[in-house]
Amino acid sequence: MRILHTSDWHLGRAFHRVNMLDAQAGFVGHLVTTVREREVDAVVVSGDVYDRAVPPLAAVELFDDTLHRLADLGVPTVMISGNHDSARRLGVGAGLIDRAGIHLRTEPSACGTPVVIPDAHGDVAFYGLPYLEPALVKAEFGVEKAGHEAVLAAAMDRVRADLAARAPGTRSVVLAHAFVTGGEASDSERDITVGGVAAVPAGVFDGVSYVALGHLHGSQTITERVRYSGSPLPYSFSEADHRKSMWLVDLDADGTVTAERLDCPVPRELARIRGPLEELLDDPDLARHEEAWVEATLTDPVRPADPMARLTERFPHTLSLVFDPERAPDDPDVSYARRLAGRNDREIADDFVAHVRGAGPDGDEQAVLQAAFDAVRADAVVREVTP
């Protein structure tokens, strides 16, 4: 069976104020062409179809058009909801859409109920594990501690139990939206940390033929059977070095996996340039970036006059301007943002406690702080997805 694995479309998302809808429509066209020309047997979309719980109308219209085009191909498609999607909204009409061969899997309770697609060698069971917010699904899975590993392990127990009851040799594909250990994050993904931990070990998914992951925006191979497709388009300059692609996966009769990486259309190259303004304007080596979307970091000790206007004369598609004067780390003028770079909310809170009382929080106090941050984040998820 030939499977096309993609994820993290984020329909409706902009890139530094640039409307990406045309680029997203271009990707959909590329996807449909690929399915037809490469004789794909099934398409899997591993979450974050939309960029937010209530997407703009234009994004919904593009999604609707996408569903029609995929259905017209007669190729089964399995989709799950991600942490950016509203599972309830995305799943509206799923029963009817099933009849067209588009299978939306947004309910955690259905993790162990696969979409079964046959080929010449037998059945392939596709299990959709939508994004499982631990605080919201721990009761469903009967776990005491609300953590990503616990709820995913419980969901996979249901998958393996169903698979064990099927005919010997039944191949299996799991769609999941999670941060798996070994994956490399970018600045584009929303934080899903619970209890100070975001990642789950790849071993949670043992026992299935292929795991089609979503959430991280870079295409990555965790193991030969566990892969991220990455997002088809860039959504932050931290993705400047990404090669945007999809995985074309051939699942042989015995469950052997062969994967080929297929490039996605590039609407415009990304470039990150750094240095004093005058050097950036004069350096001939930067000519190759003149038509790229540019993030410019200026290192001038004093902020120059009209930097954006001057930059856009040479780099008309400059979207981001950062000031980072070259100073010693202990310089009192080092920016607050620079001092906080790379630190999470809990670490910043720990530093604040240490600053105001002269000593950092002890173990019990750290646990209280972490529980407070987890509660706020879970509450934000609930408020976002509640009608």
Side-chain angles (χ1 to χ4, degrees):
M1 181 170 289
R2 174 161 287 182
I3 302 162
L4 188 63
H5 168 199
T6 177
S7 71
D8 295 275
W9 295 356
H10 289 277
L11 300 182
R13 186 164 181 167
F15 180 76
H16 288 270
R17 305 179 306 280
V18 174
N19 188 320
M20 295 291 279
L21 202 65
D22 286 345
Q24 291 168 340
F27 161 70
V28 168
H30 170 71
L31 172 76
V32 171
T33 299
T34 300
V35 171
R36 183 176 57 250
E37 294 183 350
R38 298 303 296 266
E39 299 181 337
V40 170
D41 298 307
V43 177
V44 297
V45 186
S46 299
D48 282 354
V49 176
Y50 291 122
D51 186 57
R52 55 184 185 268
V54 185
L57 179 59
V60 177
E61 291 173 338
L62 177 56
F63 180 59
D64 179 65
D65 177 66
T66 303
L67 295 185
H68 279 86
R69 295 173 73 178
L70 289 171
D72 287 344
L73 291 173
V75 175
T77 300
V78 185
M79 296 182 172
I80 61 172
S81 50
N83 63 302
H84 279 250
D85 299 307
S86 165
R88 292 178 65 184
R89 290 189 177 93
L90 186 64
V92 169
L96 288 173
I97 296 171
D98 261 359
R99 301 178 187 178
I102 308 294
H103 308 282
L104 297 173
R105 291 296 180 261
T106 63
E107 291 292 334
S109 60
C111 285
T113 305
V115 176
V116 179
I117 303 173
D119 68 2
H121 306 291
D123 288 342
V124 180
F126 289 77
Y127 297 90
L129 278 57
Y131 172 67
L132 302 175
E133 174 59 44
L136 303 184
V137 302
K138 67 175 184 176
E140 164 66 32
F141 292 105
V143 299
E144 294 182 2
K145 185 177 180 181
H148 289 287
E149 183 174 355
V151 296
L152 271 171
M156 283 301 302
D157 285 344
R158 294 187 184 183
V159 168
R160 284 185 283 264
D162 180 86
L163 193 56
R166 296 186 178 273
T170 299
R171 291 156 293 160
S172 53
V173 175
V174 166
L175 290 72
H177 197 85
F179 190 160
V180 175
T181 303
E184 183 177 344
S186 69
D187 293 341
S188 304
E189 300 97 11
R190 182 180 294 171
D191 181 28
I192 60 171
T193 301
V194 174
V197 178
V200 299
V204 164
F205 299 102
D206 285 351
V208 296
S209 306
Y210 182 72
V211 181
L213 293 174
H215 181 56
L216 300 184
H217 287 192
S219 177
Q220 300 170 61
T221 299
I222 305 300
T223 72
E224 287 304 306
R225 296 184 181 275
V226 181
R227 297 172 186 264
Y228 283 100
S229 66
S231 62
L233 294 165
Y235 293 111
S236 75
F237 278 101
S238 65
E239 301 175 50
D241 295 329
H242 287 189
R243 174 187 163 195
K244 295 302 181 181
S245 56
M246 304 178 287
W247 286 111
L248 188 67
V249 177
D250 285 321
L251 197 58
D252 292 347
D254 62 355
T256 300
V257 170
T258 305
E260 177 185 355
R261 197 170 171 189
L262 304 181
D263 291 330
C264 294
V266 179
R268 192 179 294 277
E269 298 288 345
L270 305 188
R272 305 179 98 172
I273 60 178
R274 178 185 179 91
L277 177 60
E278 295 301 331
E279 290 185 11
L280 299 183
L281 297 177
D282 296 336
D283 188 348
D285 289 340
L286 298 181
R288 66 187 187 278
H289 299 317
E290 289 177 355
E291 294 303 316
W293 280 324
V294 169
E295 178 185 75
T297 299
L298 302 184
T299 60
D300 304 75
V302 177
R303 184 173 301 205
D306 300 321
M308 181 60 90
R310 295 169 67 188
L311 277 167
T312 53
E313 289 180 2
R314 183 179 188 189
F315 307 102
H317 304 288
T318 301
L319 300 181
S320 175
L321 182 59
V322 180
F323 294 97
D324 187 19
E326 293 185 343
R327 298 188 174 108
D330 57 354
D331 190 313
D333 290 330
V334 170
S335 72
Y336 180 70
R338 186 173 175 183
R339 293 198 301 272
L340 297 185
R343 303 183 68 75
N344 61 37
D345 291 342
R346 233 292 310 286
E347 291 170 334
I348 294 169
D350 288 353
D351 288 347
F352 176 75
V353 172
H355 173 72
V356 297
R357 76 176 188 190
D362 60 24
D364 290 341
E365 291 167 333
Q366 287 179 340
V368 170
L369 286 170
Q370 187 62 60
F373 281 117
D374 289 347
V376 168
R377 194 186 60 79
D379 180 66
V381 171
V382 171
R383 285 187 286 107
E384 183 173 84
V385 303
T386 300

